[in-house]
């Protein structure tokens, strides 16, 4: 099993989040995926999200 030792392995396309990088990755130290409302099975509720 491969392990991810850097945050750069978490891809993200939410450009209005403070943790979004220009390489479309997440720069947060850790993330929390919540169980909040989503619109489809492709959505994720990221509780770590912070608006820029």
């Amino acid at each position: 099993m491969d392990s991810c030792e850097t945050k750069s392995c978490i891809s993200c396309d939410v450009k209005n989040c403070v943790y979004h990088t220009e390489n479309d990755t997440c720069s947060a130290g850790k993330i929390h995926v919540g169980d909040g409302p989503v619109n489809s099975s492709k959505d994720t509720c990221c509780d770590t999200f912070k608006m820029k």
Side-chain angles (χ1 to χ4, degrees):
M1 179 161 132
D2 293 332
S3 66
C4 178
E5 295 181 14
T6 64
K7 295 173 283 194
S8 64
C9 57
I10 301 171
S11 72
C12 177
D13 61 3
V14 182
K15 297 183 185 328
N16 65 338
C17 179
V18 297
Y19 300 114
H20 182 266
T21 71
E22 62 186 37
N23 297 324
D24 290 335
T25 60
C26 179
S27 66
K30 63 180 180 176
I31 62 169
H32 181 262
V33 178
D35 59 358
V38 294
N39 296 322
S40 76
S41 63
K42 294 181 180 182
D43 289 343
T44 302
C45 183
C46 179
D47 289 344
T48 307
F49 171 83
K50 288 186 183 176
M51 182 81 75
K52 277 188 183 177

